[in-house]
Amino acid sequence: MVPMRTWHMVHDISAQAPYRVHNSNIGVLSPLSRRPGSGFLSGSSTRNAVLARSTSLISSLTSTLARPFFASLRERTRLANPAVAALSTDALLYSPSVVGLRRDDADHFELTNDDFDGELDAIPADPTTKELETPPAVNAQNQRAMGEYVAPYFMNVISAAPILAGAFRSTSQTSSEFESDRLLRQTVKSRIARVLRLFAARGDTTLVLGAFGYEEGTPIAMVAQIYAELLACSPNPGDVTDGEFRNIFQKVIFAVPAKLHSSFRNTFEMRIFEDELVRSLESC
């Protein structure tokens, strides 16, 4: 699993959502593939596999109620038009009260990270890594077993299918690359907005969002801009989703690969700055 860094935005909300369901107000976005858990039993280190190993999510993904979701996912891949198939499905799977059981596979020590916590951070071992199997892997700095079990905690997980951006670009029959990127951005933004809308409807106030679709070819800058427009920018008559979720959530944590952290944060903040600059000029 690649190292992850987190960055969050916080809003003080005077009036919380009128209701809250289940045992937690923490919402986690999980990009999902056609296989529940993305091969977590074979040692895969994707984010989905990490969640499957670290939580009870796999019980929800393999339940009878989840079958229509995966059926729709498979049906989309069989469509005759490869460009449409690459857009996957807008269906969402909401798994309430998922239990966290162990430390995240990506927990690691990073002494330069301001969020470093010697009691909570660890370097877990991938059980498929031979040199870490014997003796049991132990973190040298706190002598704790890597990937150890923790006190159970709850979260609500939305599983959503990311757009296969690379496949869409290569098969799209649009008039230009610009038009292809415009359609891709529109679809990604619509899907993320659906996710945020469901979190809000369920009363989740603390969100953990990742680089949705990046591994499938969606540029990280595009993902960051979309998050900024939905969560932090002002309402825009030209796009009703802009600013739709501004100040709706109490805290939003962006968990992205460490190598993308600076690019994601700079793009996110620049998009907000552009929005503020436009609003300032319009008010003059």
Side-chain angles (χ1 to χ4, degrees), residues 223-255:
V223 178
Q225 289 174 351
I226 289 173
Y227 277 140
E229 290 166 2
L230 295 173
L231 292 163
C233 288
S234 304
N236 176 12
D239 189 335
V240 294
T241 60
D242 282 1
E244 180 179 351
F245 307 96
R246 185 175 182 177
N247 298 330
I248 293 296
F249 305 106
Q250 186 174 4
K251 178 184 289 187
V252 178
I253 301 170
F254 300 103

Side-chain angles (χ1 to χ4, degrees), residues 8-276:
H8 65 267
M9 52 187 292
V10 180
H11 296 296
D12 292 325
I13 302 178
S14 55
Q16 296 292 336
Y19 59 90
R20 199 178 85 190
V21 295
H22 313 300
N23 310 33
S24 175
N25 61 358
I26 299 174
V28 178
L29 170 59
S30 173
L32 202 57
S33 66
R34 285 177 291 169
R35 283 195 305 167
S38 300
F40 74 103
L41 291 176
S42 59
S44 172
S45 57
T46 64
R47 187 178 181 190
N48 304 326
V50 170
L51 276 174
R53 281 195 293 269
S54 304
T55 73
S56 65
L57 179 61
I58 194 66
S59 297
S60 173
L61 301 183
T62 55
S63 68
T64 303
L65 292 175
R67 288 177 185 172
F69 174 83
F70 288 99
S72 69
L73 205 54
R74 288 190 294 270
E75 288 172 4
R76 295 289 293 188
T77 63
R78 300 190 186 106
L79 293 178
N81 187 329
V84 176
L87 297 178
S88 194
T89 176
D90 280 327
L92 303 176
L93 179 62
Y94 189 86
S95 303
S97 301
V98 172
V99 184
L101 305 171
R102 58 188 296 179
R103 294 182 185 278
D104 190 314
D105 282 1
D107 286 347
H108 66 289
F109 275 112
E110 187 172 341
L111 296 178
T112 60
N113 187 346
D114 292 337
D115 294 331
F116 168 74
D117 186 326
E119 289 298 316
L120 298 179
D121 294 345
I123 307 176
D126 183 336
T128 64
T129 306
K130 292 183 178 180
E131 60 268 25
L132 295 180
E133 289 179 350
T134 305
V138 176
N139 189 294
Q141 298 192 50
N142 67 3
Q143 298 302 307
R144 290 191 176 195
M146 299 177 181
E148 66 183 345
Y149 288 103
V150 298
Y153 59 95
F154 295 91
M155 70 193 82
N156 306 311
V157 179
I158 289 182
S159 299
I163 288 82
L164 306 179
F168 175 77
R169 284 198 180 97
S170 63
T171 57
S172 175
Q173 298 180 355
T174 54
S175 57
S176 65
E177 183 178 341
F178 174 82
E179 179 65 13
S180 177
D181 281 351
R182 186 190 70 80
L183 290 175
L184 172 64
R185 191 181 197 282
Q186 184 180 54
T187 307
V188 174
K189 188 172 184 178
S190 173
R191 191 154 305 169
I192 292 178
R194 284 171 59 85
V195 169
L196 297 178
R197 213 167 282 130
L198 181 52
F199 276 136
R202 289 289 184 172
D204 296 321
T205 57
T206 297
L207 306 186
V208 180
L209 308 174
F212 185 74
Y214 170 76
E215 293 182 349
E216 291 73 24
T218 302
I220 191 62
M222 181 183 293
V223 178
Q225 289 174 351
I226 289 173
Y227 277 140
E229 290 166 2
L230 295 173
L231 292 163
C233 288
S234 304
N236 176 12
D239 189 335
V240 294
T241 60
D242 282 1
E244 180 179 351
F245 307 96
R246 185 175 182 177
N247 298 330
I248 293 296
F249 305 106
Q250 186 174 4
K251 178 184 289 187
V252 178
I253 301 170
F254 300 103
V256 299
K259 65 179 180 179
L260 304 175
H261 180 264
S262 295
S263 175
F264 181 94
R265 180 167 188 164
N266 292 339
T267 304
F268 185 95
E269 292 179 341
M270 180 56 68
R271 183 64 187 87
I272 296 175
F273 173 76
E274 291 172 354
D275 178 71
E276 292 175 344

